[in-house]
Amino acid sequence: MTETDTGTGMGAGTEAGVQGNAAAGTAQGERWRRWQESWDRQQEWYLPDREERFGAMLDAVEALVGTEPKVLDLACGTGSITGRLLRRFPGATSTGVDLDPALLTIARGHFAADPRAAFVTADLRDERWTDALPHRAYDAVLTSTALHWLRTDELRALYGRLAGVLRDGGILVNADHMPDPATPRINEAVNAFHRARREREKAAGAQDWADWWAAAAADPVLAEPAAERFRIFGDPVAGDHADGETQSAAWHVEAMRAAGFAEARPVWASPADTMVLGLK
């Protein structure tokens, strides 16, 4: 009879198995935490005021829909907004929506143990993408630096669909690149300033978009979803991005009002980006 055939041996084996599973879970959690943090650092290279905009976004949530909101994290990526939302508002819940299989793999892994967060794969250009949502109505839709991937007609249609998933009194907050064509000299000066900053930080070892995706493609766990992502969106390592269009903050305000929002206006701005809020 082997040791594991005895009652004591079975208990010891079971305990060891539980400990092993816990260790494996901890290791996986650490993996996803590191990927989440590396995504944040890469995004901050482009957006040094990223945390400021997130803070302003959550201030708007608290002011208008309270501290236990049901939130739709739109084009959620790795769940950067969801993480900050749940830390600030422990009673909140979040549904993250994205099409990118690699970023969703990180998000699902990172929040696997948190029942407040759920993630849905959907294409925001699909007329029926809202059918995949777990709730009929949300208190807030939040999105940052994502919808410039869409073309103008696609974004206008999306605003209309978002009005349909918000309860009366709910809010849509979109922080994104919203250049003003009426200020070309200011725009060029700001762009030149940030190009110089990025070049300095890149020389010091900062990871850019292409670097980050190259690392993801080389990771044995992310390699397959990264390859699928490249098939959907193109290869970011080769410099491919989106064929979307950027619009001014005034255009976004007008589009929100045309979509059925009772009020809309900018509520935060940096020299390069603006955050627009629509109240249904």
Side-chain angles (χ1 to χ4, degrees):
M1 181 180 289
T2 65
E3 181 178 352
T4 54
D5 287 333
T6 69
T8 302
M10 285 293 290
T14 301
E15 181 179 354
V18 170
Q19 291 173 346
N21 290 338
T26 300
Q28 281 294 89
E30 179 62 17
R31 166 192 288 274
W32 300 125
R33 185 191 65 79
R34 289 197 304 268
W35 275 111
Q36 174 71 264
E37 289 185 354
S38 73
W39 175 261
D40 282 342
R41 300 295 84 74
Q42 177 257 127
Q43 289 289 287
E44 287 167 1
W45 184 69
Y46 294 97
L47 306 166
D49 51 21
R50 190 166 177 258
E51 289 301 330
E52 180 182 327
R53 78 182 62 196
F54 285 150
M57 179 179 286
L58 296 182
D59 286 347
V61 169
E62 183 170 358
L64 288 154
V65 297
T67 59
E68 296 185 354
K70 185 182 297 179
V71 170
L72 181 60
D73 182 355
L74 196 69
C76 63
T78 64
S80 295
I81 290 175
T82 290
R84 288 157 178 80
L85 171 82
L86 299 181
R87 283 196 296 272
R88 177 159 168 177
F89 307 127
T93 59
S94 178
T95 303
V97 176
D98 209 298
L99 184 60
D100 190 312
L103 300 185
L104 282 172
T105 296
I106 295 170
R108 287 174 171 135
H110 185 64
F111 293 95
D114 194 333
R116 299 172 297 170
F119 295 91
V120 172
T121 300
D123 186 342
L124 300 182
R125 298 166 297 184
D126 186 333
E127 293 182 359
R128 300 185 62 85
W129 72 267
T130 58
D131 293 349
L133 297 177
H135 305 294
R136 292 179 59 86
Y138 288 84
D139 300 306
V141 177
L142 308 179
T143 186
S144 178
T145 327
L147 301 188
H148 64 275
W149 283 71
L150 299 175
R151 300 191 66 79
T152 300
D153 57 340
E154 294 170 338
L155 182 54
R156 190 178 290 278
L158 177 64
Y159 278 159
R161 294 186 190 106
L162 293 175
V165 303
L166 281 168
R167 65 166 174 83
D168 289 344
I171 61 171
L172 165 61
V173 187
N174 178 17
D176 209 343
H177 310 314
M178 299 183 187
D180 188 340
T183 58
R185 289 185 295 167
I186 294 174
N187 298 346
E188 178 51 36
V190 169
N191 290 337
F193 173 81
H194 284 299
R195 280 196 302 270
R197 173 190 56 78
R198 287 194 295 269
E199 288 171 2
R200 292 192 303 270
E201 294 177 0
K202 178 71 172 173
Q207 193 177 49
D208 67 9
W209 174 262
D211 293 337
W212 191 90
W213 279 108
D219 182 276
V221 177
L222 284 177
E224 183 175 340
E228 178 62 20
R229 188 258 182 225
F230 297 171
R231 286 190 288 272
I232 296 171
F233 296 107
D235 185 352
V237 180
D240 294 337
H241 199 58
D243 63 350
E245 299 169 318
T246 56
Q247 301 292 344
S248 69
W251 181 92
H252 286 270
V253 167
E254 182 278 328
M256 285 183 177
R257 289 176 175 162
F261 288 86
E263 300 177 16
R265 71 173 179 87
V267 292
W268 175 91
S270 71
D273 293 356
T274 303
M275 185 162 69
V276 175
L277 185 153
L279 173 68
K280 185 176 176 185

